[in-house]
Amino acid sequence: MKKLISCLLVVMMLFTAATSFAEAIKPVEKSNVLTKFLDETDLNTKDLALQVQSGDEVDDFVIRLDGDNLHLATRKNGTVSAHIQFNSTGMYLGAGDSVTLLRYATVTTVLQDALKALDAVLEEAIDSIPEQQVLSEAEAKEAVNQLAALASAAAAQEEADAATLSSAAMAFADKFKPEYILDVKEEYGVLAISLRSEAFATALAEAVDELMSNPALAELVDRQAAEKGGKTFAEIQLEWLENREATLEAIRTIKSAEAIDENGHWVSHFQIGEENSAVKILVCDMDSWIDAANSEFETIVCLGFQNEEPLMVYEFAVNPYQYWEKLTAGDSFAEINCEIQNNRLSSGKVITVLEGKEELRADFGPDYLYIKGPKGGISTSVRETWTGKIRYELVAENVKGEEASVIVDFYQEDDSLISELYTNKSDRTVMFKISRIDKANIEDLSASEKITEITVEDINALLNGLLKLVAPAKTAAPEAGK
């Protein structure tokens, strides 16, 4: 039974995949193959069967909806091996000549009894609490009031902390007025913006000095440090004093400039470090083109030391038809290049090279995927064969050049939708089918003369036995005390 249910799930997944692949290969308007097959099935004259065939062995799972009755039966080479029937009364399970019935009303009663038993246990637990430990109404109200007061105090503290942080942030930001730290010029259609590093350093010094003398912020930081750990305000002040001059001196060496023209050309230059110093100057340059009318954008960013080869180069380009991205660092790089159709990726490639050695290459398209690594590769393809089958093929190759392949064909034949699977390691094939079959010989279990009903007492006895297995010590203790 479990085997056939698993096969049912596999069949549904395979045919769903087949439909998706078929639509990718032939982009024509058509209904889902499985839905169309089911709609064309006359359940008055046919049964549906999910079948698994390997060699001469056939296992199937028959589904029949007959008025108020739903029949699910498993068969082995045409012989019924298990049968379950559902109707408005309950569930019938057939085994040989006997039938077992489980009424829905029985299940409902068991659940209701379980809830009543749980309520009784809770009431007993409450009644067992000593009277002196039970809170009076006045004590309960007092506890609620205390909780409300604590919650109110916590909310008030959160509001006060938010106000402190907001005030400190506004005061900090107010030191960096653009007209004070930036030079802005517009000439011949080019907007040029540069940073006044000396003014920026002065503004930063004033802003941080003011933060370091904020008593409300100090109280907040110390309280957070006590509750959650971390540095105290005094420790932060000491760090700032120790590093203040070195930090400001480094900021004074910053050179930052931006230039944007009317054609969408944007150039940026940033560097930090002192000229003629033993310490290298770090440089970051960006060159970008923006074409808003055609939805195009290109950029290249180089990061490295002055007068040396870049440490890292980042390149990016996107338009309605292509997406390209590449990151290079020395002899290593990672690249993504994709084609776009109707705002969706249609094909592309991904390449990763580490220290001159290719570690990954992947190419993909609407009907194929190829991945290659240092220890092997995988390729997949999907196509329509000359005979009209949708063929999905997967080939895996290891580092020794040994190949293993799996081929799955999807097609319709007579009254069956078929998924056929075979490999290069075996001559046998496995077929999964959804078939219309002639009415199978399935009896009405509800009309059987040998029906054994599962009662509430039967279920309770089973549950009690399970409880004894789960907690034998707890169930044995009361008996020992009798």
Side-chain angles (χ1 to χ4, degrees):
M1 183 69 178
K2 291 181 179 179
K3 177 181 176 183
L4 283 173
I5 292 177
S6 299
C7 291
L8 167 62
L9 296 175
V10 170
V11 170
M12 300 299 288
M13 292 171 63
L14 288 173
F15 278 104
T16 300
T19 301
S20 300
F21 284 130
E23 291 176 352
I25 296 170
K26 298 178 65 177
V28 297
E29 293 186 4
K30 62 179 181 179
S31 62
N32 181 284
V33 174
L34 178 59
T35 302
K36 185 173 181 292
F37 181 84
L38 295 176
D39 289 342
E40 293 175 350
T41 302
D42 183 3
L43 295 178
N44 293 320
T45 59
K46 297 285 186 177
D47 285 335
L48 281 175
L50 308 180
Q51 299 178 317
V52 181
Q53 180 177 338
S54 177
D56 296 331
E57 297 292 320
V58 179
D59 292 316
D60 55 20
F61 182 78
V62 180
I63 304 171
R64 175 187 294 177
L65 184 60
D66 184 12
D68 186 39
N69 294 281
L70 171 63
H71 298 268
L72 304 176
T74 61
R75 301 192 307 175
K76 183 75 171 181
N77 296 327
T79 302
V80 175
S81 56
H83 181 191
I84 299 176
Q85 178 179 338
F86 299 88
N87 62 20
S88 57
T89 301
M91 178 182 73
Y92 298 83
L93 176 63
D97 294 333
S98 63
V99 177
T100 302
L101 166 63
L102 176 61
R103 297 179 185 272
Y104 303 132
T106 300
V107 177
T108 302
T109 301
V110 170
L111 293 176
Q112 290 175 345
D113 290 345
L115 291 175
K116 290 178 182 179
L118 179 60
D119 289 341
V121 170
L122 292 176
E123 289 180 4
E124 183 179 352
I126 293 173
D127 292 340
S128 65
I129 299 175
E131 186 174 349
Q132 61 273 20
Q133 294 182 12
V134 179
L135 291 178
S136 65
E137 184 176 352
E139 290 173 330
K141 288 182 178 180
E142 178 63 22
V144 170
N145 291 335
Q146 289 179 358
L147 290 174
L150 290 173
S152 178
Q157 186 63 64
E158 287 183 3
E159 291 182 4
D161 291 347
T164 298
L165 292 173
S166 176
S167 175
M170 292 178 64
F172 187 91
D174 191 54
K175 303 295 182 183
F176 301 90
K177 295 181 179 179
E179 63 271 18
Y180 178 59
I181 64 173
L182 297 176
D183 276 327
V184 181
K185 296 179 182 179
E186 186 172 1
E187 190 175 20
Y188 304 115
V190 178
L191 178 65
I193 304 171
S194 60
L195 178 71
R196 298 173 183 168
S197 56
E198 183 67 38
F200 183 76
T202 301
L204 180 65
E206 293 177 357
V208 178
D209 287 344
E210 186 173 306
L211 282 180
M212 294 299 102
S213 60
N214 187 328
L217 185 62
E219 188 276 332
L220 189 157
V221 171
D222 287 340
R223 177 159 35 82
Q224 292 290 333
E227 293 176 357
K228 302 179 181 180
K231 295 179 181 179
T232 64
F233 197 72
E235 291 172 330
I236 296 174
Q237 286 177 315
L238 180 59
E239 283 189 0
W240 168 243
L241 290 175
E242 291 175 347
N243 300 304
R244 185 178 188 276
E245 292 307 318
T247 302
L248 298 178
E249 188 62 32
I251 290 174
R252 292 187 182 99
T253 67
I254 291 177
K255 293 182 180 179
S256 179
E258 312 278 336
I260 306 173
D261 66 22
E262 295 176 338
N263 296 323
H265 188 199
W266 177 15
V267 178
S268 173
H269 173 78
F270 175 90
Q271 72 176 56
I272 183 170
E274 188 176 358
E275 299 285 351
N276 302 320
S277 171
V279 180
K280 295 180 180 180
I281 297 175
L282 184 65
V283 178
C284 182
D285 288 307
M286 182 188 73
D287 193 356
S288 302
W289 289 89
I290 304 171
D291 185 350
N294 295 310
S295 301
E296 297 181 359
F297 175 71
E298 296 181 18
T299 188
I300 179 171
V301 181
C302 298
L303 177 67
F305 296 113
Q306 193 177 60
N307 302 322
E308 294 185 8
E309 288 294 320
L311 296 174
M312 182 187 73
V313 178
Y314 174 73
E315 300 167 271
F316 176 78
V318 64
N319 59 53
Y321 311 103
Q322 185 182 29
Y323 175 95
W324 178 68
E325 192 172 10
K326 185 176 182 181
L327 179 64
T328 305
D331 293 333
S332 302
F333 72 87
E335 180 181 8
I336 301 174
N337 192 0
C338 301
E339 301 294 326
I340 300 173
Q341 292 183 358
N342 300 322
N343 298 321
R344 300 179 67 179
L345 296 181
S346 60
S347 62
K349 65 178 180 179
V350 179
I351 302 174
T352 300
V353 174
L354 298 179
E355 298 181 353
K357 181 180 178 182
E358 185 174 281
E359 294 292 334
L360 173 69
R361 175 180 291 271
D363 292 278
F364 65 90
D367 53 5
Y368 71 92
L369 170 66
Y370 170 74
I371 301 176
K372 178 185 177 184
K375 295 185 178 180
I378 296 176
S379 65
T380 66
S381 64
V382 58
R383 61 186 175 86
E384 185 172 355
T385 67
W386 184 78
T387 57
K389 298 178 181 180
I390 303 301
R391 174 163 293 173
Y392 174 82
E393 185 171 4
L394 183 148
V395 180
E397 180 182 1
N398 62 21
V399 70
K400 298 179 181 179
E402 299 169 339
E403 287 189 354
S405 64
V406 177
I407 296 177
V408 183
D409 286 339
F410 300 93
Y411 56 95
Q412 182 170 351
E413 185 177 82
D414 298 330
D415 277 349
S416 297
L417 287 178
I418 301 174
S419 169
E420 187 174 5
L421 183 149
Y422 48 98
T423 74
N424 66 332
K425 301 295 184 180
S426 174
D427 295 332
R428 299 186 65 182
T429 66
V430 178
M431 299 179 67
F432 300 92
K433 299 181 182 180
I434 298 180
S435 304
R436 304 184 190 102
I437 63 173
D438 293 332
K439 284 289 186 177
N441 184 21
I442 300 177
E443 65 175 312
D444 182 0
L445 298 180
S446 62
S448 175
E449 297 180 356
K450 299 179 180 180
I451 297 179
T452 302
E453 183 174 345
I454 299 176
T455 64
V456 173
E457 291 74 15
D458 295 333
I459 296 177
N460 287 337
L462 176 62
L463 293 176
N464 289 334
L466 291 175
L467 289 175
K468 289 179 180 180
L469 290 174
V470 173
K474 292 184 178 180
T475 56
E479 295 178 1
K482 288 183 179 179

